[in-house]
Amino acid sequence: MNKKDSTSSNEANWKKSVDKTLKRFPERKETFQTSSDIDVNGLYYPVSNDNYEENLGFPGDFPYTRGIQPTMYRSRFWTMRQYAGFGSAIETNKRFRYLLDQGQTGLSVAFDLPTQIGYDSDDVMSEGEVGKVGVAIDTLHDMEQLLDQIPLNKVSTSMTINAPASVLLCMYIAVGEKQGVPLEELTGTIQNDILKEYIARGTYIYPPKPSMRLITNIFGFCMENNMKFNTISISGYHIREAGSTAVQELAFTIANGMAYVDAALESGLAIDDFAPRLAFFFNAHNNFFEEIAKFRAARRIWAKIMKDQYHAKDPKSWKLRFHTQTGGSTLTAQQPDNNVVRVTLQALAAVMGGTQSLHTNSRDEALSLPTEESARIALRTQQIIANESGVADTVDPLGGSYYVEELTDKMEQEVNKYLVQIKEIGGAVQAVEEGYMQREIHHNAYETQKRIEKNEEIIVGLNKYQLDEEVNPDLLKVDEELEKSQIEQLDNIRATRDQKKVDELLQSLRIQAKNPETNLIPYILEAVKAYATVGEICNVMRDEFGQYTGM
């Protein structure tokens, strides 16, 4: 009997034993599926002779399924970048410095809602929202306070900002200049992903076409100035938070990435000049193996697209680099300490999937902004995984797992089906304008909620294992007086700045905004340096570009 016959015989015997066991102990469910409705078999074992180097290869080599660096975390841990921002710039600066003292290795800035949609703190649209879900930034003065005593040539900073990304990047550059840090030494990421705002999040300002112009303007400016900044973080995180499956998160994010590549090429940029600075941002949810497979499939899909479809020549253009944040929508207000366990599972999946940086949510984020204690526990979760678990000691520790490899393959197949559909619609921008992605996400969110309400999907502490009496934890509260003091500071800046210069620079920006061939970033930068406000700069572009009001 040869080896193949022996394997077939053993397989048949095993299936007989399964049938016998099931008569006594039926399985818990009729079908087992991942969160993306991919069927899960009871056992995985070798059934084919797939080409190892074509599908997997070695870490650091195309198609990067096993990681983008040859040694991954054996050489350096991922960047531990806790997301923080609340109240005033001074308060947030204190939290940043505390987290850096506790061993955080990168900053991640959360901005308040008015800043995210380009309004000043004294705008009528900002009333009641100043400093509530992030830090309030009105002028360069706020950014100076936010980054006080933080050396920008040593600390990498990520900024979750989209529609006004050009303004906040210019503020960061201006602070660096005041610190004596040249442009090429500034490191970090701006999210700058407007398509997912139309799809899932809603903090847009301008219509798609001028928004895409600003994004490619940033690409061009950073390339011309040899900046190491990641010019965009193409985000699946918020798509997943809106209710998508893991497959949809990956498919829609990659489709958006392709739209940004197309826009940059149409603006005259060369693929290998900007592609190495593209970065991605993914969610990590509770289905442990599916999340790992998602990250592995993401690298392989993007590498093939960049090499085969866009014909990029530089291997750096093929590499999908990504940040991960654990799933905010998975956290429960009930029994919030359970969230520590959820976050640990999600963070572990991100690490075993090969993330480049990671934010771990705090246990109380379903209730409020995190307290200092909760933020420290979230950071310690990463540090324990890094230093005590051993999972960072080998590259792609689940590579070769029959289950993970098949799940990676299936994830790739399902994502490619979506990419074909989006291409047939006319690309990601057209798909957004027609509401295709939004409908797909909404349908899945609705079906998920139905399963939870029917107890078909168990959320511990929410629809099973509840407590009769919940303990109310201490929560962080933003001082209601903040808005008043922020407006007073803004009034003082307006009273002491060179108003004539500000007016001239805003008018210059207005004139250049009319010319679609002009890169607006240098003009925005000069206005920022003169202490023009976020709202003033965005309003100039609102006047010229119009304001997007949704479908």
Side-chain angles (χ1 to χ4, degrees):
M1 181 183 290
N2 61 35
K3 186 175 181 180
K4 183 176 181 181
D5 291 338
S6 176
T7 300
S8 299
S9 175
N10 290 336
E11 180 182 351
N13 289 335
W14 171 73
K15 287 182 176 178
K16 287 179 182 178
S17 69
V18 168
D19 292 338
K20 184 177 179 180
T21 301
L22 288 176
K23 289 178 181 178
R24 295 182 61 200
F25 306 107
E27 290 185 334
R28 291 180 285 109
K29 297 186 287 187
E30 289 186 12
T31 59
F32 290 79
Q33 293 182 315
T34 70
S35 63
S36 298
D37 297 328
I38 295 173
D39 289 335
V40 178
N41 297 337
L43 181 71
Y44 290 84
Y45 47 93
V47 292
S48 62
N49 293 312
D50 292 335
N51 187 299
Y52 172 83
E53 295 206 13
E54 180 181 342
N55 290 332
L56 298 175
F58 289 90
D61 290 342
F62 183 89
Y64 308 105
T65 311
R66 306 202 66 185
I68 62 168
Q69 302 295 344
T71 59
M72 290 300 287
Y73 310 134
R74 286 170 67 94
S75 296
R76 186 177 66 177
F77 290 132
W78 59 94
T79 301
M80 299 179 193
R81 191 189 299 282
Q82 289 300 107
Y83 188 47
F86 61 93
S88 70
I90 291 173
E91 287 179 293
T92 301
N93 174 264
K94 290 177 182 176
R95 175 65 64 88
F96 282 161
R97 287 161 59 189
Y98 170 78
L99 289 169
L100 290 171
D101 287 344
Q102 295 300 312
Q104 178 173 303
T105 54
L107 300 179
S108 185
V109 187
F111 297 96
D112 72 355
L113 186 57
T115 305
Q116 291 183 51
I117 50 180
Y119 291 115
D120 291 330
S121 294
D122 60 353
D123 194 291
V124 65
M125 294 293 288
S126 303
E127 187 174 348
E129 293 293 339
V130 176
K132 289 294 177 67
V133 298
V135 61
I137 300 291
D138 291 313
T139 70
L140 177 59
H141 179 70
D142 293 311
M143 189 66 84
E144 290 167 344
Q145 291 179 321
L146 180 70
L147 300 171
D148 183 45
Q149 299 181 58
I150 295 174
L152 299 191
N153 60 338
K154 296 179 180 178
V155 174
S156 170
T157 305
S158 173
M159 295 188 283
T160 302
I161 196 72
N162 295 283
S166 55
V167 184
L168 275 298
L169 175 63
C170 286
M171 287 184 174
Y172 194 84
I173 290 170
V175 174
E177 185 176 297
K178 285 175 176 286
Q179 288 189 6
V181 181
L183 282 173
E184 59 270 20
E185 290 185 20
L186 294 174
T187 59
T189 304
I190 45 171
Q191 195 161 99
N192 196 28
D193 174 7
I194 203 62
L195 291 178
K196 68 94 175 50
E197 296 295 328
Y198 302 129
I199 294 169
R201 194 161 176 261
T203 61
Y204 42 71
I205 301 176
Y206 321 112
K209 189 173 181 179
S211 295
M212 296 294 274
R213 173 190 175 183
L214 286 170
I215 289 168
T216 56
N217 281 178
I218 291 171
F219 289 0
F221 178 86
C222 291
M223 182 193 72
E224 290 168 10
N225 289 279
N226 296 314
M227 289 186 68
K228 296 175 184 176
F229 235 78
N230 297 320
T231 51
I232 192 169
S233 178
I234 306 160
S235 175
Y237 183 85
H238 305 95
I239 290 171
R240 191 68 175 281
E241 290 293 283
S244 79
T245 66
V247 165
Q248 290 168 344
E249 175 194 355
L250 186 49
F252 298 163
T253 305
I254 287 178
N256 289 347
M258 294 169 69
Y260 294 126
V261 171
D262 292 338
L265 293 173
E266 289 171 9
S267 74
L269 299 177
I271 186 73
D272 286 320
D273 286 341
F274 68 86
R277 300 316 311 171
L278 303 179
F280 288 78
F281 174 23
F282 292 120
N283 211 315
H285 274 217
N286 290 329
N287 197 306
F288 186 70
F289 293 108
E290 181 178 48
E291 294 302 304
I292 295 167
K294 179 186 75 180
F295 300 134
R296 299 171 87 250
R299 283 190 291 268
R300 189 158 74 202
I301 295 167
W302 187 250
K304 290 178 180 178
I305 288 171
M306 295 305 289
K307 185 179 181 182
D308 300 337
Q309 183 169 329
Y310 289 105
H311 308 293
K313 303 299 182 185
D314 187 345
K316 292 180 181 177
S317 300
W318 306 337
K319 295 181 179 182
L320 183 145
R321 297 169 300 114
F322 68 96
H323 169 73
T324 308
Q325 182 172 338
T326 56
S329 61
T330 69
L331 305 181
T332 62
Q334 299 82 1
Q335 302 176 40
D337 284 349
N338 293 347
N339 294 328
V340 177
V341 182
R342 293 186 177 102
V343 168
T344 303
L345 279 171
Q346 295 162 8
L348 190 60
V351 170
M352 297 185 85
T355 193
Q356 275 61 68
S357 63
L358 178 61
H359 164 84
T360 35
N361 289 329
S362 299
R363 60 185 175 179
D364 49 7
E365 288 190 46
L367 296 161
S368 73
L369 292 169
T371 62
E372 193 170 272
E373 179 187 13
S374 293
R376 184 179 67 250
I377 292 171
L379 176 59
R380 292 288 184 259
T381 301
Q382 294 199 49
Q383 292 166 335
I384 290 169
I385 290 173
N387 294 285
E388 299 184 27
S389 71
V391 299
D393 293 349
T394 188
V395 182
D396 189 27
L398 286 178
S401 158
Y402 303 132
Y403 178 35
V404 170
E405 296 301 356
E406 183 159 337
L407 201 49
T408 302
D409 292 345
K410 285 186 176 179
M411 185 72 66
E412 181 179 16
Q413 293 162 12
E414 294 302 312
V415 167
N416 283 333
K417 288 178 185 177
Y418 267 116
L419 293 178
V420 169
Q421 291 178 351
I422 292 168
K423 183 178 180 181
E424 290 173 351
I425 291 170
V429 176
Q430 187 67 28
V432 169
E433 291 178 342
E434 293 185 12
Y436 168 72
M437 298 181 193
Q438 296 93 313
R439 288 192 300 273
E440 289 289 302
I441 295 168
H442 294 164
H443 173 73
N444 184 70
Y446 175 66
E447 292 299 322
T448 299
Q449 185 60 34
K450 284 201 303 184
R451 290 195 300 272
I452 292 171
E453 291 176 2
K454 292 178 180 179
N455 280 15
E456 295 171 355
E457 186 169 316
I458 300 302
I459 309 295
V460 174
L462 178 66
N463 60 1
K464 196 171 184 179
Y465 310 114
Q466 300 98 325
L467 293 177
D468 292 333
E469 187 175 334
E470 292 281 350
V471 177
N472 296 319
D474 292 332
L475 302 177
L476 177 70
K477 292 181 173 61
V478 176
D479 189 345
E480 294 297 332
E481 291 296 311
L482 164 75
E483 187 167 328
K484 181 181 177 182
S485 62
Q486 184 70 19
I487 291 172
E488 288 175 353
Q489 178 174 271
L490 178 57
D491 288 342
N492 184 57
I493 292 294
R494 287 200 179 106
T496 56
R497 68 187 182 181
D498 185 338
Q499 189 60 46
K500 181 180 179 182
K501 183 177 182 181
V502 170
D503 291 341
E504 290 173 352
L505 291 170
L506 290 175
Q507 180 61 20
S508 179
L509 174 62
R510 186 181 301 278
I511 292 168
Q512 296 304 324
K514 297 177 187 296
N515 181 358
E517 302 302 316
T518 301
N519 189 317
L520 298 180
I521 306 306
Y523 299 91
I524 295 171
L525 180 58
E526 290 306 308
V528 159
K529 289 179 181 179
Y531 293 87
T533 71
V534 169
E536 290 166 344
I537 295 170
C538 289
N539 283 339
V540 165
M541 293 188 283
R542 274 191 181 93
D543 292 344
E544 299 306 318
F545 298 153
Q547 184 158 320
Y548 187 71
T549 56
M551 296 175 58

